Amino acid sequence: MEFFTFLVQCLNAVQYGLLLFLVASGLTLIFGIMGVINLAHGSFYMLGAYMAYALAPLFGGQFLLQMAAGVALSVVFGFVLEWVFFSYLYQRDHLQQVLMTYSLILVFEELRSLLAGNDVHGVKLPEWLSGAIPLGDLMKYPVYNLFASATCIVVAIGLYYVVNRTRLGMMIRAGASNRDMVRGLGINIRLLYRIVFAAGVALAALAGMIAAPVTSVYPGMGGQILIICFVVVVIGGIGSISGALIAALLVGFVDTFGKVLFAQYSGLSVYLLMAVILIWRPQGLKSKGY
C-alpha cells in the first residue's frame, strides 16, 4: 500500500470513528447513566440526516446555521420524547424498555415514510467546503471530511469538559451512581435525566447531519448505525465516554482497513474485535469513569 493511500485510509478511519463516537456517546449517556436500553437511538441519527435534507433549502447554503438549527430542534424533540415516553421507563425492567423503544423505531420509520417518502435523497455540500486537498500527484482528500472530523473533535472536547469539569457534569455523574441520594440532596433528578436524554438525542442528530452530505439520506440508515454503536459502547465500557471514544476509533480503523485489505471478511472484523476485547476485559476497555 502506497503512503498516500495509507494516509487517506487513516483519515477515513478517523472520520468514521469520530462520527461513531458522536452517536455512541449519546447512547452511552442514556444507557450507562440513565439505565435505559434505547433501541431507538439510531432513529435519532436518521432524524438528523433527514433534518439536514429538509433544512437545506431554508438556509440557502448557511451550513453552520443549518446545523445549529438542527441541533436546537433535536434538543427540543429530546425533551418532549423523554417527558412523554422515556420518563416512565426508569423503574421498568429491560424487557419493557426494549419493547417500547423498538416500537418507537417502527413509529419513526413510518413517519419518515409518510413525510419524506422512501427515495434516497442527497444533501449538497456547502461551496466553502466542496474543495479538496491534493495528496501526492493523483490523490485528493475532500475538505468536508476534514471539517467533519474537526467538528467531532470539538464536540468531544466540549462533552468531556461538561461532564468532568462543570457542576452539571458533577450532578450527572452523581445521578448515575446513586439517584436516590441525589434526589435527597434536593436535585431534580427527572430534569437532570431529561437534559441528559436531550443531549444524547442532539449528539446522534448532529452526527446524522454531518454524515448526510457524504453518505446521502436513505430509509433504514438508523438501524445500520445502531448495531455498530452498541458494539462501540460494549467495547468501550458501559457508561464511559472516554472508553466510547477509544472504542469508536478502534472500530473505525478495523472496519476501514478491513474493507481495504480483507474485503470478503470485512463484515466480521468489527465483531471479532469485540469478541477479543471482551475475552480480555469483560467489562470493556474502561469502567464507568467518563
Side-chain angles (χ1 to χ4, degrees):
M1 183 182 295
E2 296 181 357
F3 172 74
F4 287 111
T5 302
F6 175 76
L7 178 60
V8 167
Q9 295 305 325
C10 285
L11 291 173
N12 289 336
V14 169
Q15 182 209 348
Y16 179 52
L18 289 172
L19 277 175
L20 281 180
F21 167 72
L22 279 192
V23 187
S25 60
L27 183 61
T28 200
L29 281 172
I30 296 171
F31 188 19
I33 294 176
M34 300 166 63
V36 175
I37 300 176
N38 180 22
L39 296 185
H41 195 73
S43 298
F44 306 147
Y45 173 82
M46 179 186 70
L47 171 68
Y50 274 91
M51 278 199 302
Y53 167 71
L55 293 175
L58 302 178
F59 285 87
Q62 299 293 324
F63 190 66
L64 295 180
L65 288 177
Q66 176 185 325
M67 288 177 60
V71 170
L73 289 172
S74 61
V75 167
V76 174
F77 176 74
F79 263 89
V80 173
L81 191 66
E82 195 278 342
W83 174 50
V84 175
F85 291 104
F86 283 83
S87 60
Y88 298 98
L89 291 180
Y90 301 137
Q91 304 301 327
R92 306 288 181 90
D93 59 39
H94 289 326
L95 176 60
Q96 291 178 321
Q97 295 173 1
V98 167
L99 290 175
M100 200 197 82
T101 55
Y102 179 73
S103 68
L104 285 177
I105 295 177
L106 303 180
V107 171
F108 291 145
E109 283 293 334
E110 190 63 27
L111 287 174
R112 189 255 331 134
S113 179
L114 292 172
L115 297 175
N118 294 316
D119 297 328
V120 177
H121 303 287
V123 178
K124 186 178 178 181
L125 285 173
E127 291 185 6
W128 59 283
L129 291 173
S130 60
I133 297 174
L135 296 175
D137 297 327
L138 301 175
M139 303 189 68
K140 293 183 179 180
Y141 194 77
V143 172
Y144 182 80
N145 290 22
L146 295 175
F147 166 80
S149 297
T151 302
C152 294
I153 291 172
V154 169
V155 173
I157 293 172
L159 183 62
Y160 176 84
Y161 178 81
V162 169
V163 172
N164 291 279
R165 296 288 186 269
T166 66
R167 182 176 177 83
L168 174 62
M170 179 180 65
M171 291 189 292
I172 290 172
R173 287 182 280 119
S177 299
N178 193 325
R179 70 178 69 177
D180 293 327
M181 180 64 72
V182 170
R183 188 182 292 112
L185 292 173
I187 296 173
N188 188 340
I189 193 69
R190 286 297 182 92
L191 177 60
L192 186 65
Y193 279 9
R194 199 158 294 162
I195 292 172
V196 170
F197 186 84
V201 173
L203 287 168
L206 177 60
M209 285 187 287
I210 292 173
V214 178
T215 63
S216 72
V217 181
Y218 55 91
M221 61 188 303
Q224 294 180 0
I225 199 74
L226 175 67
I227 296 172
I228 199 71
C229 283
F230 266 113
V231 171
V232 169
V233 170
V234 170
I235 290 176
I238 304 298
S240 173
I241 295 174
S242 57
L245 176 59
I246 297 169
L249 290 173
L250 275 175
V251 168
F253 273 90
V254 169
D255 185 71
T256 300
F257 281 94
K259 289 176 179 176
V260 174
L261 300 175
F262 312 102
Q264 290 182 323
Y265 307 101
S266 61
L268 296 174
S269 57
V270 172
Y271 304 105
L272 287 175
L273 172 68
M274 180 176 69
V276 169
I277 289 178
L278 291 183
I279 290 172
W280 170 48
R281 290 179 64 86
Q283 76 274 24
L285 293 176
K286 298 195 71 175
S287 58
K288 186 183 290 187
Y290 311 97

